[in-house]
Amino acid sequence: MTNREILQIAMEQSAIDSHCQVDDFLSEKSTVVISEPNPKARKYLELPFFCDLTFYGNQIVASVAPEIREEVETYLAKFPPEHCFETPNMHVLEQILQKYGHKVCFMAEYFLPDMNLLRPLPCSYELRVLFPQDFAGCYLPQWSNALCEKRKHLDVLAVGAFDGEKLIGLAGCSADCDTMWQIGVDVLPEHRRQGIASAITSRLALEIVERGKVPFYCCAWSNLRSSRNAVKSGFRPAWVQLTAKAKEQVEVMNQ
């Protein structure tokens, strides 16, 4: 796969998730559409969205509930697209959401592999490709980024770093949709800053590509440790996404 093909696949998936057209992400003006559920959407998304903004660098696609469509259109028309994701402008969106019992909840940056840079990286420890039967006993707190207890059936592949027979680092991927598998990574605290995370991330990404799928990586904008790992592993920023949730859901997350 080329970088252009990978980006096209990602935008096609985002179009499914947002209930829009691929060309909307490349438009000269922002687009607001009504969110709809879709069986081909990424499995962890809760659809329909009340308000979700997706930005590939040109213009924003907002996938929203009907009752806030006009107000979100006004918001997007008022500010440059990149400023719609940051304060102080984002407070305007927050005021709109609060009238309907919602708040900004998730703000994430997504990465795609750069096929000119993706390559196996060296590691001082043994790396092993693992399958579901191999990591069935690894649904533990220390591996909660690499594997997801709630969606075990989607965890399809992993790469582990081993010190003898002790697992010290794990990169896992979930088959979140038909074409794209998401990577998550954990390294035991005492083994960090040794290049283990980038070694298992890059190796897993290559294993995913070999299976004809697009690997993607996600982290919060403030998670510099994770974003640095993505870049070191051969990934580059591709799109950003802001998602609102009901006030009650946000409060539960904050407990």
Side-chain angles (χ1 to χ4, degrees):
M1 287 184 284
T2 66
N3 287 342
R4 183 181 295 272
E5 290 169 338
I6 286 172
L7 181 60
Q8 179 67 21
I9 290 170
M11 288 194 295
E12 288 173 356
Q13 184 59 49
S14 290
I16 291 171
D17 301 338
S18 296
H19 194 232
C20 69
Q21 302 299 313
V22 174
D23 289 345
D24 292 335
F25 297 113
L26 306 175
S27 175
E28 295 181 0
K29 65 176 184 177
S30 293
T31 302
V32 181
V33 297
I34 301 302
S35 180
E36 296 284 350
N38 190 317
K40 293 185 178 181
R42 281 176 283 160
K43 305 301 183 185
Y44 59 89
L45 298 178
E46 297 178 356
L47 297 178
F49 293 123
F50 185 78
C51 181
D52 178 90
L53 309 184
T54 299
F55 181 49
Y56 274 86
N58 281 36
Q59 292 291 337
I60 294 170
V61 171
S63 186
V64 304
E67 58 265 37
I68 62 165
R69 180 171 190 164
E70 290 185 7
E71 291 176 279
V72 173
E73 286 176 341
T74 300
Y75 174 70
L76 297 184
K78 187 174 182 179
F79 304 111
E82 61 275 14
H83 291 176
C84 290
F85 291 85
E86 63 184 23
T87 55
N89 300 155
M90 194 177 66
H91 291 310
V92 176
L93 177 62
E94 184 79 353
Q95 290 170 359
I96 295 170
L97 294 170
Q98 286 181 353
K99 292 190 297 184
Y100 299 92
H102 284 69
K103 290 184 174 183
V104 172
C105 185
F106 299 122
M107 298 173 64
E109 184 171 15
Y110 288 83
F111 298 78
L112 292 172
D114 184 334
M115 297 308 293
N116 298 315
L117 299 173
L118 184 64
R119 65 190 188 280
L121 296 178
C123 185
S124 300
Y125 298 93
E126 179 189 2
L127 302 187
R128 302 177 193 171
V129 178
L130 306 174
F131 300 94
Q133 64 271 22
D134 303 315
F135 54 74
C138 295
Y139 287 90
L140 303 168
Q142 60 265 42
W143 311 122
S144 60
N145 290 310
L147 303 173
C148 182
E149 176 77 28
K150 293 181 180 178
R151 297 186 295 273
K152 285 184 177 181
H153 62 289
L154 298 179
D155 292 334
V156 292
L157 192 67
V159 171
F162 288 83
D163 183 3
E165 290 304 311
K166 180 182 179 181
L167 180 64
I168 60 172
L170 184 66
C173 67
S174 55
D176 289 333
C177 54
D178 291 342
T179 57
M180 302 177 70
W181 292 358
Q182 181 173 194
I183 294 177
V185 186
D186 287 295
V187 176
L188 296 181
E190 62 271 25
H191 291 281
R192 291 173 184 166
R193 303 184 69 84
Q194 299 180 47
I196 296 172
S198 57
I200 57 180
T201 301
S202 59
R203 174 66 182 278
L204 181 56
L206 289 165
E207 293 287 338
I208 294 170
V209 170
E210 286 183 7
R211 287 160 174 79
K213 307 295 182 180
V214 172
F216 72 103
Y217 188 109
C218 173
C219 67
W221 295 345
S222 57
N223 193 341
L224 295 180
R225 179 185 294 163
S226 187
S227 61
R228 286 170 181 159
N229 178 59
V231 171
K232 185 177 180 181
S233 302
F235 286 73
R236 292 295 178 265
W239 80 95
V240 295
Q241 201 158 352
L242 179 155
T243 307
K245 294 287 185 182
K247 176 184 175 181
E248 293 77 14
Q249 288 181 265
V250 177
E251 290 176 347
V252 169
M253 294 177 191
N254 284 330
Q255 290 178 358

